[in-house]
Every structure is written in structure tokens, then in C-alpha cells.
Amino acid sequence: MHRNAARRPAHPIRPARPARPVRPARPAAGRSRLVAGCIAVAAVLGLSACGTASGALQPTTAAATPGSASPQQQPTGTAATTTAPATGSDGATGSGPAAPSAAAKPGTPGTPGTPGTSGTSGTSGVPAQPAATARTTSPAPTPAPTPATGTPAPPPAHPGTATKVIGSTASGGRTVALTFDDGPGPATGQILDLLAQYHVKATFCEIGQNAAANPALVKRVVAEGHRLCDHSVHHPQPFEKLSHDKAVYEIGAAHDMIVKAGGPGTEVSWFRAPGGGFDADNEHIAAGLGMSSLGWSVDPRDWARPGVPAIVSTVQQQLKPGGVILMHDGGGDRSQTVAALKQLLPWLVAQGYTFDLPAA
């Protein structure tokens, strides 16, 4: 009995066997394999770091899909990730290659999307795989990203200095040149009648789309010995802020529209920038089409309809020999301009002025 009693206390010791420090060695071996797998994945993907300090590969919070942004990566093609639009798209769309996202995590290569689009172009980078699949899946190598190919860059703007903007008559002396902008329009015929009455030759700076819509008036201007001037297609302002290729279109297309409306042999000798918005670039564009840049020296602001007396007095006060007067035959109600011209033509004759064309 004493011998059996001595053995009984030994039984409570047996439950301590599961706590042997030998069994946790298996997770350590699994972790080693996991770390080794992580290193292999990192080597394939070119990762500079893998997982966390403990060596475990952390799953991403949301898997990225092509054309969508993960929480760590902005979509390719947004304003935050693309280069500034090239000069020439009317702000529209960018034409340069997309810049890499500043918020993208290292080691998530992908193909940049088409610039100027938002959120639906390009291929997202390969996200890190969860630990559960990283032990059995070996991702295929991701090809190096290729730069997106944008639209061809527009011709560079002219780097030179501005050319001379004309503000005087061809002959000088006690001469004056009358110029009319923004037509042809409803008032053009009335102005032509007045000019014919006083045997005056003037210059008409026409809007391209107005010339295309009123070819009969353009033909009449040419037939009666007046001269033509390019005033752009749509009269955009500020004209000097246009991109180079937009300015090329506004000037070149207007020139072609006016020539077509006038018929064979029509010449367009000058270009007048809307609002006087000349710069070196648009002046050289005009020169390339054989046109001089035409300004003015007298501006009665008849377009604002300040009243007939105000138009007449401004011309009388500002005019000096050899001056170029700016008036309008289009762009709105020009009844004040017609009424003022009825007073100005006989006054100019009485002052000893003869009528001339602008210098070229």
C-alpha cells in the first residue's frame, strides 16, 4: 500500500507533455519556407523589400484590377499623374506620356495608360499576393513598363521677336486708312454704298466663318476695289494666349475661307489679331502666309455702341496724318457706325485728308 501510494502523485505530471518546446518548431520551418518563397517572389518582381519586419508577406487590402485604382495607387491618366497638356489640344487632352503615380507603392510595375483619359486606361501593377497563396503560387515575371505613345507634338512656336505691327498708311502725309472688322454682316452693304459715294477704298478684316456664310458680300468687296484682311475664323480672345497649333488653324483656315468666298485671284494682304492680341508667334504665322500684321492708331470703340457723337468726336480727336481708323461692319448692331461714317466721310474730306490703304 505504501508503494502504490507513492506512485499516484506521478499521474498529474503527464498533461505537461503537450507543452514540450519541440512542437513549435514546425511553424518555424513553415515560416522559413514562406520567407524563402517571399524572397523568390521578390527576386522575380524586383522588389526592394518584402513583407514586414517579421518576414511575413502581408496581403493587400484590395486587389487591383485593370483600369481601376487600388487604395495605394492613383489611376493612370488623371490630372495628378499626367504631364501638362501639350500646346495645341484646346486644353483638352494631354498628348505627352503619363507620368508615374507619386502614390504608387514600390514594386508595382504596370503599363502606363493612354494620356488624357481617366481611370480606365493602362494596366495596374501586380499586387502582392496573400500569404495563403504565396506558398503555392509563383507569379509570372511582369514585363518592364513601356512608355505610352502620345500624339505627335505640334510644330514649335516661333522663338523670335515680334515683327512690326502696322499702324499707318502706305503713303504717309495727310492720308487716312479706313478699316472695318468682324464682317461681312448686315451693315457691310450700307458701308460699301457710303464708300462708293465718296470714292473711298477701305480694308475689310473679315471673320472666316462670316466670309464663308456671305460669299456674295466678299465678292462685292473685291469687285469694288477694296482690300481684304484676315481676322481669324472665330475671333477668340485673348488671341495671344492661343496655343501655336490653334493659332495656325485660326489664321490659316480664315485665310482660306476668305479666298474661297472671294473667288479666283482673291488676295488677303493683312492679318489683324482679334482684340489686337499680337505676339511673335501669330505674327510669324501670318507672315508665312504672305500677310502683314495690321494694327490701328484710332479706336472709337464703335463696337460698344457709345453713341454716334462719341464715335465721331473720338475719331476727330485721335486722328493724325497717316492714321489707321478701326471701325466695325459686323459682330452686332452697327447702325451707329453707319450713322457716324455719314458724318466722318465729309469731315475728313473737308480736313484735306485723302484715303489710302494701310502700309504692307
Side-chain angles (χ1 to χ4, degrees), residues 215-240:
L217 283 174
V218 180
K219 287 179 172 65
R220 181 181 172 187
V221 168
V222 174
E224 295 184 7
H226 303 288
R227 302 296 292 274
L228 293 170
C229 169
D230 180 331
H231 200 37
S232 80
V233 176
H234 301 107
H235 203 280
Q237 290 182 265
F239 196 82
E240 68 274 19

Side-chain angles (χ1 to χ4, degrees), residues 59-116:
T60 56
T61 55
T65 58
S68 65
S70 69
Q72 296 86 10
Q73 186 173 0
Q74 295 181 3
T76 303
T78 64
T81 60
T82 57
T83 57
T87 56
S89 53
D90 222 18
T93 59
S95 61
S101 169
K105 293 176 66 176
T108 55
T111 302
T114 303

Side-chain angles (χ1 to χ4, degrees), residues 225-292:
H226 303 288
R227 302 296 292 274
L228 293 170
C229 169
D230 180 331
H231 200 37
S232 80
V233 176
H234 301 107
H235 203 280
Q237 290 182 265
F239 196 82
E240 68 274 19
K241 299 297 184 182
L242 296 184
S243 64
H244 174 69
D245 50 345
K246 181 66 174 176
V248 167
Y249 166 74
E250 286 288 337
I251 299 171
H255 177 278
D256 294 344
M257 291 176 180
I258 295 168
V259 170
K260 182 178 180 181
T266 298
E267 295 183 2
V268 183
S269 303
W270 297 274
F271 163 69
R272 175 174 279 168
F278 291 102
D279 65 8
D281 189 42
N282 60 52
E283 291 168 34
H284 283 281
I285 293 170
L289 295 171
M291 298 183 292
S292 301

